[in-house]
Amino acid sequence: MRFTTRFAPSPTGRLHLGHAYSAILADNAARSAGGVFLVRIEDIDRNRCRPEFETALLSDLAWLGLDCPLPVRRQSDHFDDYAAALDKLRALGVLYRCFLTRREISEQSLSAPHAPGEGIDGVIYPGPAVAMSRDEEHARIARGESFAWRIAMKYSQDLLGEEFSRLEFVERDLTTNVERRIAAHPHLHGDVILARKDTPASYHLCVVHDDALQGVTHIVRGEDLRSSTHVHVLLQKLLGLPTPVYSHHALLTGPDGKRYAKRDQALTLAALREAGVSPAEIRARIGLPA
Ligand code: GLU
C-alpha cells in the first residue's frame, strides 16, 4: 500500500507556526517515502469553523510549498458517511444516549471516591452505574432533552473480549524511523462522546472514518492527540478499519515556552508572510531543513 499521510486542520482560525511544523513534518515523511500528502478540512463543528479560514489555510499551505491532490476532503460535505458509521456502532450495541450535562458529570466526578479526572474531551465519564430504562429514555426524548451518543467502554470490552486487551498501535519515531508497539487502553478515557443530538459526529468518529476511506497509512500529528489514538484504535476495531502507523511529534513552543495557539496572532503564517518572512525562513525558524 502506498505511503499516505495527511494534515487535517480545523478552519477555526489562521494557521500558526505549530501548524506549519506539523504539516511540513507530514509532507517530509511522504516525500521521503515517495508517498502522498493529503490535506483534509475538519470542519464538523459548524459553530467554530468558518469558510474564510478554510480558504486562508489552503493559501497558507500553498505558500509554504505543500502541494496536495485536489479537491481536498471537507468533512462537512460528508455527514451521511459519519451517520452510517454511527449506525454501524449502534447496531453493535456499543452506543447509548447520555442525557447528563458536562456540569453534572463534573459534579459526579468530584463526589466519586476516585475522581476520574480530565480526559481527551474534558472530564472523563466512566459510564452510568445502571443503564437508563427504556421508559425513561423515551420520556426524555419526548421532552426534547439534549443528549450525547457515547461509546460504552464496558460493553465494548465485553463484546471484543480478549481482542480488547490486545488492542495496540505502532508508533514510529520520525527522526530514527524506529517503530514500537504500544498497547491501547481506550477504557482509560471513559465513555467518549461520538455524536450529539445537535452535532452529527465527533472528531474521533470522523477522523477514524476518513483516514480509512482516504487510505491513510501513516498519521503524523501532535503528541496532544496521542491519548485520542487509544480511542481511535478501538473505533477502528469495532468498525473493521485498518489501524495506520502513528507518529506523534512534540509540540512546538514559542520563546515563552508555551505551545503555539490560535490566539497568538503575531505568529500566524499570514502575519509572518506580511512581515516579509519567506517560507524558507519559516522552515528555519521551526528547525526544519529548507
Ligand atoms: N483536526 C485536528 C486538529 O486540528 C487534527 C486531527 C488529526 O490530525 O488527527 O487538531
Side-chain angles (χ1 to χ4, degrees), residues 6 8-10 42 203 207 221 225:
R6 77 332 185 247
S10 295
E42 303 214 320
Y203 155 67
V207 83
R221 63 185 180 194
L225 290 170

Side-chain angles (χ1 to χ4, degrees), residues 76-233:
S76 61
D77 292 338
H78 301 281
F79 281 124
D80 289 355
D81 284 10
Y82 312 128
L86 275 174
D87 281 345
K88 206 164 169 183
L89 294 174
R90 232 176 257 124
L92 291 175
V94 294
L95 293 189
Y96 68 95
R97 286 189 187 88
C98 172
F99 294 86
L100 293 171
T101 61
R102 278 185 198 276
R103 173 189 284 195
E104 285 166 335
I105 290 174
S106 298
E107 283 165 6
Q108 278 190 9
S109 147
L110 288 176
S111 59
H114 305 287
E118 288 282 316
I120 51 181
D121 295 319
V123 183
I124 293 175
Y125 179 52
V130 184
M132 182 178 284
S133 72
R134 285 243 173 257
D135 285 352
E136 182 176 354
E137 188 175 0
H138 287 148
R140 284 174 174 246
I141 296 169
R143 286 201 294 269
E145 288 185 27
S146 288
F147 59 82
W149 285 103
R150 289 184 180 268
I151 183 160
M153 284 293 166
K154 181 75 189 67
Y155 185 74
S156 305
Q157 199 163 357
D158 292 346
L159 182 73
L160 293 175
E162 265 298 290
E163 275 189 298
F164 189 92
S165 51
R166 285 202 300 267
L167 290 173
E168 62 174 20
F169 58 97
V170 171
E171 184 153 67
R172 180 188 201 186
D173 184 299
L174 284 174
T175 326
T176 59
N177 282 341
V178 170
E179 294 187 346
R180 60 191 184 115
R181 294 188 174 280
I182 311 264
H185 299 301
H187 52 289
L188 299 181
H189 304 285
D191 287 359
V192 173
I193 293 178
L194 295 190
R196 288 180 189 278
K197 190 182 163 200
D198 48 3
T199 315
S202 73
Y203 155 67
H204 304 297
L205 185 78
C206 302
V207 83
V208 159
H209 175 276
D210 285 356
D211 285 331
L213 181 86
Q214 297 188 285
V216 171
T217 58
H218 290 73
I219 291 181
V220 176
R221 63 185 180 194
E223 64 188 8
D224 53 331
L225 290 170
R226 185 183 277 113
S227 310
S228 298
T229 300
H230 290 253
V231 173
H232 298 178
V233 170

Side-chain angles (χ1 to χ4, degrees), residues 12 20-21 27 32 50 72 91 99 111 132 140 169 199 211 226 242 244 250 267 269 272 275:
T12 55
Y21 183 66
D27 184 61
S32 60
R50 304 249 181 288
V72 299
F99 294 86
S111 59
M132 182 178 284
R140 284 174 174 246
F169 58 97
T199 315
D211 285 331
R226 185 183 277 113
L267 294 167
L269 297 179
L272 294 165

